[in-house]
Amino acid sequence: MRVKGITAKEKAEQLLRQAEAGEYLLQLRSKKGVSLAQLGEKVGVSANYLSEIERGLKVPSDLLIRELAGYYGTDENIIFKKYGKTPLAAIEEVNDNPTLQKTLTEIRRNKKLTDDQKQELYDKVYELYQEFINKGV
Amino acid sequence: MRVKGITAKEKAEQLLRQAEAGEYLLQLRSKKGVSLAQLGEKVGVSANYLSEIERGLKVPSDLLIRELAGYYGTDENIIFKKYGKTPLAAIEEVNDNPTLQKTLTEIRRNKKLTDDQKQELYDKVYELYQEFINKGV
């Protein structure tokens, strides 16, 4: 399988992002006043692994991010964003809806759409959703 | 971390799905007239691993499915569907668009929407896309 090429600069940026996200998780744990061992008990992974995450050496899985956000009572999307990961809730929504899968696949394969047109389309989708819920749904 | 519960029946269904998908991949290889070793060379994984996939014992990664579909000249979404996996193209579309991520996250978190209403909304999104491309975009 062809492996996606990554430059040293991209690798460095990724590590810096992980480091910042890890620091954020460390701050949340400090505020909560729990040890790595206590947190590990709660979320079901080892203290050592959590320490690696907080030091930016490892990236938590989507489900672990959800567990951590739930335990700390924070919005999980903040953590997904810090890691540059796509929010799990958005992925789940796609997983559950074949119509949405079909629409997004067609958009993906439509090579005529420019990035600006796609942005315009997705802005319209957001407006459509807003209208849909404001209509008394 | 809490592990999602899976029943024996679900496990059996999953294995049957893998078996069928594997058979489909075996058929594609037979038509092409290549050996597991030759295919392995092309897609960069071992013949043994490919054999496990064809026998339904392993599930190929999203990227390997793409490689296989490309090599066999078949629509990758057919293979994703056979595995019950979300099409990679749809996921990529979400990965690339923060506005779409925001919209889908809000929909996911809107507990007032029923499944029928969601279906209605996603049908409307598909119509919106059709109108968008037919408008001479």
Side-chain angles (χ1 to χ4, degrees), chain B residues 22-36 38-39 54 68 71-75 78 82:
Chain B
E23 272 173 40
Y24 177 72
L25 290 172
L26 172 58
Q27 281 168 18
L28 289 174
R29 186 167 59 81
S30 304
K31 272 190 209 159
K32 190 99 176 178
V34 291
S35 69
L36 284 168
Q38 287 169 322
L39 178 62
E54 288 185 355
L68 290 168
Y71 177 67
Y72 291 134
T74 193
D75 182 349
I78 295 172
K82 284 191 182 284

mmCIF file of all heavy atoms in Angstrom, chain B residues 22-36 38-39 54 68 71-75 78 82:
data_model
loop_
_atom_site.group_PDB
_atom_site.id
_atom_site.type_symbol
_atom_site.label_atom_id
_atom_site.label_comp_id
_atom_site.label_asym_id
_atom_site.label_seq_id
_atom_site.Cartn_x
_atom_site.Cartn_y
_atom_site.Cartn_z
ATOM 1 N N GLY B 22 -15.106 -11.195 1.610
ATOM 2 C CA GLY B 22 -13.871 -11.893 1.240
ATOM 3 C C GLY B 22 -14.049 -12.706 -0.041
ATOM 4 O O GLY B 22 -13.189 -12.707 -0.922
ATOM 5 N N GLU B 23 -15.196 -13.383 -0.146
ATOM 6 C CA GLU B 23 -15.486 -14.169 -1.359
ATOM 7 C C GLU B 23 -15.558 -13.257 -2.586
ATOM 8 O O GLU B 23 -15.113 -13.626 -3.670
ATOM 9 C CB GLU B 23 -16.815 -14.905 -1.212
ATOM 10 C CG GLU B 23 -16.668 -16.271 -0.556
ATOM 11 C CD GLU B 23 -18.016 -16.910 -0.272
ATOM 12 O OE1 GLU B 23 -18.913 -16.786 -1.123
ATOM 13 O OE2 GLU B 23 -18.170 -17.488 0.818
ATOM 14 N N TYR B 24 -16.151 -12.091 -2.392
ATOM 15 C CA TYR B 24 -16.238 -11.131 -3.491
ATOM 16 C C TYR B 24 -14.839 -10.725 -3.960
ATOM 17 O O TYR B 24 -14.553 -10.687 -5.167
ATOM 18 C CB TYR B 24 -17.033 -9.909 -3.028
ATOM 19 C CG TYR B 24 -17.132 -8.804 -4.050
ATOM 20 C CD1 TYR B 24 -17.936 -8.946 -5.178
ATOM 21 C CD2 TYR B 24 -16.430 -7.618 -3.900
ATOM 22 C CE1 TYR B 24 -18.030 -7.932 -6.134
ATOM 23 C CE2 TYR B 24 -16.520 -6.607 -4.839
ATOM 24 C CZ TYR B 24 -17.319 -6.767 -5.947
ATOM 25 O OH TYR B 24 -17.403 -5.767 -6.882
ATOM 26 N N LEU B 25 -13.952 -10.485 -2.995
ATOM 27 C CA LEU B 25 -12.576 -10.104 -3.343
ATOM 28 C C LEU B 25 -11.854 -11.262 -4.044
ATOM 29 O O LEU B 25 -11.068 -11.052 -4.971
ATOM 30 C CB LEU B 25 -11.818 -9.667 -2.083
ATOM 31 C CG LEU B 25 -12.273 -8.338 -1.471
ATOM 32 C CD1 LEU B 25 -11.588 -8.100 -0.126
ATOM 33 C CD2 LEU B 25 -12.001 -7.169 -2.418
ATOM 34 N N LEU B 26 -12.136 -12.480 -3.592
ATOM 35 C CA LEU B 26 -11.545 -13.663 -4.228
ATOM 36 C C LEU B 26 -12.002 -13.772 -5.684
ATOM 37 O O LEU B 26 -11.204 -14.074 -6.583
ATOM 38 C CB LEU B 26 -11.944 -14.917 -3.434
ATOM 39 C CG LEU B 26 -11.574 -16.279 -4.039
ATOM 40 C CD1 LEU B 26 -10.062 -16.393 -4.258
ATOM 41 C CD2 LEU B 26 -12.049 -17.416 -3.128
ATOM 42 N N GLN B 27 -13.294 -13.512 -5.914
ATOM 43 C CA GLN B 27 -13.826 -13.551 -7.286
ATOM 44 C C GLN B 27 -13.127 -12.521 -8.178
ATOM 45 O O GLN B 27 -12.775 -12.812 -9.323
ATOM 46 C CB GLN B 27 -15.331 -13.246 -7.284
ATOM 47 C CG GLN B 27 -16.196 -14.425 -6.865
ATOM 48 C CD GLN B 27 -17.641 -13.988 -6.584
ATOM 49 O OE1 GLN B 27 -18.060 -12.912 -7.017
ATOM 50 N NE2 GLN B 27 -18.376 -14.809 -5.856
ATOM 51 N N LEU B 28 -12.949 -11.322 -7.640
ATOM 52 C CA LEU B 28 -12.271 -10.276 -8.411
ATOM 53 C C LEU B 28 -10.855 -10.712 -8.782
ATOM 54 O O LEU B 28 -10.393 -10.509 -9.909
ATOM 55 C CB LEU B 28 -12.219 -8.962 -7.607
ATOM 56 C CG LEU B 28 -13.532 -8.205 -7.424
ATOM 57 C CD1 LEU B 28 -13.330 -7.020 -6.475
ATOM 58 C CD2 LEU B 28 -14.082 -7.695 -8.761
ATOM 59 N N ARG B 29 -10.176 -11.366 -7.846
ATOM 60 C CA ARG B 29 -8.795 -11.804 -8.105
ATOM 61 C C ARG B 29 -8.771 -12.933 -9.135
ATOM 62 O O ARG B 29 -7.897 -12.967 -10.009
ATOM 63 C CB ARG B 29 -8.121 -12.243 -6.798
ATOM 64 C CG ARG B 29 -6.633 -12.566 -6.970
ATOM 65 C CD ARG B 29 -5.922 -12.685 -5.629
ATOM 66 N NE ARG B 29 -6.505 -13.723 -4.797
ATOM 67 C CZ ARG B 29 -6.242 -15.025 -4.919
ATOM 68 N NH1 ARG B 29 -5.387 -15.443 -5.827
ATOM 69 N NH2 ARG B 29 -6.823 -15.905 -4.124
ATOM 70 N N SER B 30 -9.758 -13.840 -9.041
ATOM 71 C CA SER B 30 -9.831 -14.942 -10.014
ATOM 72 C C SER B 30 -10.022 -14.403 -11.422
ATOM 73 O O SER B 30 -9.359 -14.848 -12.366
ATOM 74 C CB SER B 30 -10.993 -15.879 -9.666
ATOM 75 O OG SER B 30 -10.850 -16.356 -8.350
ATOM 76 N N LYS B 31 -10.951 -13.427 -11.548
ATOM 77 C CA LYS B 31 -11.201 -12.821 -12.866
ATOM 78 C C LYS B 31 -9.940 -12.190 -13.429
ATOM 79 O O LYS B 31 -9.660 -12.251 -14.619
ATOM 80 C CB LYS B 31 -12.278 -11.735 -12.747
ATOM 81 C CG LYS B 31 -13.693 -12.250 -12.907
ATOM 82 C CD LYS B 31 -14.652 -11.069 -13.031
ATOM 83 C CE LYS B 31 -16.021 -11.454 -12.477
ATOM 84 N NZ LYS B 31 -16.818 -10.263 -12.111
ATOM 85 N N LYS B 32 -9.192 -11.554 -12.542
ATOM 86 C CA LYS B 32 -7.965 -10.864 -12.953
ATOM 87 C C LYS B 32 -6.847 -11.870 -13.234
ATOM 88 O O LYS B 32 -5.875 -11.539 -13.918
ATOM 89 C CB LYS B 32 -7.560 -9.906 -11.818
ATOM 90 C CG LYS B 32 -6.452 -8.943 -12.145
ATOM 91 C CD LYS B 32 -6.968 -7.578 -12.517
ATOM 92 C CE LYS B 32 -5.854 -6.586 -12.744
ATOM 93 N NZ LYS B 32 -6.360 -5.276 -13.160
ATOM 94 N N GLY B 33 -7.006 -13.073 -12.656
ATOM 95 C CA GLY B 33 -6.020 -14.120 -12.907
ATOM 96 C C GLY B 33 -4.662 -13.865 -12.273
ATOM 97 O O GLY B 33 -3.625 -14.153 -12.863
ATOM 98 N N VAL B 34 -4.672 -13.295 -11.057
ATOM 99 C CA VAL B 34 -3.392 -13.075 -10.368
ATOM 100 C C VAL B 34 -3.348 -13.911 -9.080
ATOM 101 O O VAL B 34 -4.390 -14.260 -8.519
ATOM 102 C CB VAL B 34 -3.161 -11.580 -10.005
ATOM 103 C CG1 VAL B 34 -2.934 -10.748 -11.253
ATOM 104 C CG2 VAL B 34 -4.303 -11.022 -9.173
ATOM 105 N N SER B 35 -2.133 -14.235 -8.662
ATOM 106 C CA SER B 35 -1.960 -14.994 -7.421
ATOM 107 C C SER B 35 -1.985 -14.049 -6.229
ATOM 108 O O SER B 35 -1.865 -12.829 -6.383
ATOM 109 C CB SER B 35 -0.618 -15.736 -7.446
ATOM 110 O OG SER B 35 0.434 -14.787 -7.373
ATOM 111 N N LEU B 36 -2.140 -14.634 -5.034
ATOM 112 C CA LEU B 36 -2.089 -13.824 -3.803
ATOM 113 C C LEU B 36 -0.754 -13.096 -3.717
ATOM 114 O O LEU B 36 -0.692 -11.929 -3.309
ATOM 115 C CB LEU B 36 -2.277 -14.720 -2.572
ATOM 116 C CG LEU B 36 -3.699 -15.211 -2.282
ATOM 117 C CD1 LEU B 36 -3.681 -16.303 -1.220
ATOM 118 C CD2 LEU B 36 -4.589 -14.047 -1.827
ATOM 119 N N GLN B 38 1.224 -12.150 -6.188
ATOM 120 C CA GLN B 38 1.261 -11.039 -7.156
ATOM 121 C C GLN B 38 0.436 -9.853 -6.660
ATOM 122 O O GLN B 38 0.854 -8.698 -6.760
ATOM 123 C CB GLN B 38 0.722 -11.512 -8.517
ATOM 124 C CG GLN B 38 1.688 -12.427 -9.272
ATOM 125 C CD GLN B 38 1.032 -13.088 -10.481
ATOM 126 O OE1 GLN B 38 -0.137 -13.476 -10.430
ATOM 127 N NE2 GLN B 38 1.790 -13.220 -11.559
ATOM 128 N N LEU B 39 -0.758 -10.158 -6.138
ATOM 129 C CA LEU B 39 -1.610 -9.082 -5.608
ATOM 130 C C LEU B 39 -0.912 -8.375 -4.446
ATOM 131 O O LEU B 39 -0.913 -7.141 -4.353
ATOM 132 C CB LEU B 39 -2.960 -9.662 -5.146
ATOM 133 C CG LEU B 39 -3.924 -8.645 -4.526
ATOM 134 C CD1 LEU B 39 -4.314 -7.556 -5.516
ATOM 135 C CD2 LEU B 39 -5.182 -9.345 -3.994
ATOM 136 N N GLU B 54 -9.517 -12.772 2.288
ATOM 137 C CA GLU B 54 -10.398 -13.487 1.349
ATOM 138 C C GLU B 54 -11.183 -14.600 2.051
ATOM 139 O O GLU B 54 -12.289 -14.944 1.630
ATOM 140 C CB GLU B 54 -9.590 -14.054 0.181
ATOM 141 C CG GLU B 54 -9.114 -12.966 -0.778
ATOM 142 C CD GLU B 54 -8.412 -13.517 -2.006
ATOM 143 O OE1 GLU B 54 -8.203 -14.748 -2.096
ATOM 144 O OE2 GLU B 54 -8.051 -12.695 -2.882
ATOM 145 N N LEU B 68 -7.276 -2.024 -3.341
ATOM 146 C CA LEU B 68 -7.800 -3.221 -4.013
ATOM 147 C C LEU B 68 -8.786 -2.820 -5.106
ATOM 148 O O LEU B 68 -8.727 -3.332 -6.227
ATOM 149 C CB LEU B 68 -8.469 -4.151 -2.993
ATOM 150 C CG LEU B 68 -7.508 -4.844 -2.004
ATOM 151 C CD1 LEU B 68 -8.290 -5.502 -0.868
ATOM 152 C CD2 LEU B 68 -6.630 -5.877 -2.728
ATOM 153 N N TYR B 71 -6.936 -1.389 -8.034
ATOM 154 C CA TYR B 71 -6.237 -2.433 -8.796
ATOM 155 C C TYR B 71 -7.217 -3.256 -9.631
ATOM 156 O O TYR B 71 -6.948 -3.579 -10.790
ATOM 157 C CB TYR B 71 -5.460 -3.331 -7.835
ATOM 158 C CG TYR B 71 -4.759 -4.470 -8.520
ATOM 159 C CD1 TYR B 71 -3.696 -4.240 -9.403
ATOM 160 C CD2 TYR B 71 -5.170 -5.789 -8.305
ATOM 161 C CE1 TYR B 71 -3.064 -5.290 -10.051
ATOM 162 C CE2 TYR B 71 -4.532 -6.843 -8.948
ATOM 163 C CZ TYR B 71 -3.482 -6.589 -9.822
ATOM 164 O OH TYR B 71 -2.865 -7.639 -10.465
ATOM 165 N N TYR B 72 -8.368 -3.590 -9.054
ATOM 166 C CA TYR B 72 -9.362 -4.395 -9.770
ATOM 167 C C TYR B 72 -10.248 -3.552 -10.693
ATOM 168 O O TYR B 72 -11.056 -4.098 -11.440
ATOM 169 C CB TYR B 72 -10.254 -5.151 -8.778
ATOM 170 C CG TYR B 72 -9.554 -6.265 -8.021
ATOM 171 C CD1 TYR B 72 -9.719 -6.410 -6.650
ATOM 172 C CD2 TYR B 72 -8.734 -7.182 -8.694
ATOM 173 C CE1 TYR B 72 -9.091 -7.434 -5.951
ATOM 174 C CE2 TYR B 72 -8.093 -8.210 -8.002
ATOM 175 C CZ TYR B 72 -8.274 -8.327 -6.632
ATOM 176 O OH TYR B 72 -7.653 -9.338 -5.951
ATOM 177 N N GLY B 73 -10.126 -2.236 -10.599
ATOM 178 C CA GLY B 73 -10.950 -1.363 -11.441
ATOM 179 C C GLY B 73 -12.427 -1.446 -11.098
ATOM 180 O O GLY B 73 -13.296 -1.381 -11.963
ATOM 181 N N THR B 74 -12.719 -1.565 -9.802
ATOM 182 C CA THR B 74 -14.113 -1.647 -9.362
ATOM 183 C C THR B 74 -14.425 -0.471 -8.432
ATOM 184 O O THR B 74 -13.511 0.164 -7.907
ATOM 185 C CB THR B 74 -14.381 -3.004 -8.666
ATOM 186 O OG1 THR B 74 -15.780 -3.182 -8.521
ATOM 187 C CG2 THR B 74 -13.719 -3.080 -7.303
ATOM 188 N N ASP B 75 -15.696 -0.167 -8.251
ATOM 189 C CA ASP B 75 -16.103 0.942 -7.378
ATOM 190 C C ASP B 75 -15.817 0.572 -5.920
ATOM 191 O O ASP B 75 -16.376 -0.391 -5.399
ATOM 192 C CB ASP B 75 -17.612 1.199 -7.579
ATOM 193 C CG ASP B 75 -18.116 2.375 -6.747
ATOM 194 O OD1 ASP B 75 -17.384 2.858 -5.861
ATOM 195 O OD2 ASP B 75 -19.256 2.807 -6.991
ATOM 196 N N ILE B 78 -18.637 -0.320 -3.365
ATOM 197 C CA ILE B 78 -19.242 -1.659 -3.321
ATOM 198 C C ILE B 78 -18.582 -2.476 -2.213
ATOM 199 O O ILE B 78 -19.251 -3.166 -1.440
ATOM 200 C CB ILE B 78 -19.078 -2.369 -4.689
ATOM 201 C CG1 ILE B 78 -19.876 -1.615 -5.769
ATOM 202 C CG2 ILE B 78 -19.500 -3.830 -4.606
ATOM 203 C CD1 ILE B 78 -19.634 -2.128 -7.178
ATOM 204 N N LYS B 82 -20.104 -3.915 1.328
ATOM 205 C CA LYS B 82 -20.091 -5.345 1.682
ATOM 206 C C LYS B 82 -19.564 -5.565 3.102
ATOM 207 O O LYS B 82 -20.001 -6.463 3.814
ATOM 208 C CB LYS B 82 -19.265 -6.139 0.672
ATOM 209 C CG LYS B 82 -20.024 -6.358 -0.646
ATOM 210 C CD LYS B 82 -19.336 -7.350 -1.561
ATOM 211 C CE LYS B 82 -20.087 -7.487 -2.871
ATOM 212 N NZ LYS B 82 -21.313 -8.304 -2.762
#
